Amino acid sequence: MNFEHQRRPQRASRMDVGAYALSKLAGAGALLMLLTAFFWLLPLGKNELLAALGVSGIPLEHIVYGYAMTATLVADAITSLLRIRSRASQAALYAACGLLFFGGFMAGSSPELWLRAATGALLLLGMRCGKELFSKPTLWVPFFALIVPLVCVVLY
């Protein structure tokens, strides 16, 4: 049998994988910038709001780059495995991953569980917006991936 006429599955090149990683980092950098600006303008302060969520000991960078980034990678893997193409279905999957990751895997007591889970769903929807925003290779992608997080850490 001659199998040459059959189409072989396309493998991702190194450039595609690098662009994917850079766009994920840019989305996380944009989310970190928004959260830093929010906490900077908030009259209560960061510690009081994080204490209300039950995660007062976790730095903001760990929440974004540790928990939200991991949940986003899992949501992307599920999206590509199930071949979900609809934006609404992808957003629902991102929100569900945010609920599970932030509600189930973060430390804290149960009274704040649903508030923390809802916050996680909102964070992952923000990461989904970052995925859409930074899907095209522009000069904004390395700026938000590399420079913005450094500025946020230095300023706050």
Side-chain angles (χ1 to χ4, degrees):
M1 290 198 127
N2 188 2
F3 291 105
E4 290 181 26
H5 69 280
Q6 291 180 351
R7 187 172 173 224
R8 292 184 182 176
Q10 185 85 13
R11 287 195 296 171
S13 68
R14 288 185 204 157
M15 192 69 152
D16 292 337
V17 173
Y20 172 77
L22 199 61
S23 70
K24 284 290 166 197
L25 289 172
L31 186 63
L32 183 65
M33 181 186 70
L34 289 174
L35 289 175
T36 302
F38 175 73
F39 284 129
W40 195 34
L41 297 173
L42 192 68
L44 289 174
K46 180 178 83 167
N47 295 332
E48 288 82 8
L49 187 61
L50 290 177
L53 290 174
V55 291
S56 59
I58 302 175
L60 190 59
E61 298 84 20
H62 292 189
I63 292 172
V64 172
Y65 285 99
Y67 290 102
M69 184 74 79
T70 305
T72 303
L73 292 174
V74 168
D76 281 344
I78 293 171
T79 300
S80 66
L81 268 170
L82 298 178
R83 296 186 179 139
I84 299 172
R85 299 288 178 227
S86 167
R87 288 184 179 182
S89 299
Q90 287 180 5
L93 180 68
Y94 270 73
C97 281
L99 282 169
L100 289 174
F101 267 76
F102 281 79
F105 296 137
M106 287 185 77
S109 58
S110 61
E112 298 93 9
L113 176 74
W114 289 107
L115 183 61
R116 190 172 55 244
T119 304
L122 289 175
L123 284 177
L124 253 62
L125 287 174
M127 292 287 282
R128 171 79 175 102
C129 290
K131 177 184 176 184
E132 290 291 321
L133 186 65
F134 297 112
S135 62
K136 303 246 191 269
T138 63
L139 288 178
W140 289 110
V141 175
F143 178 74
F144 275 97
L146 303 171
I147 295 172
V148 167
L150 292 174
V151 170
C152 290
V153 168
V154 169
L155 287 180
Y156 200 73

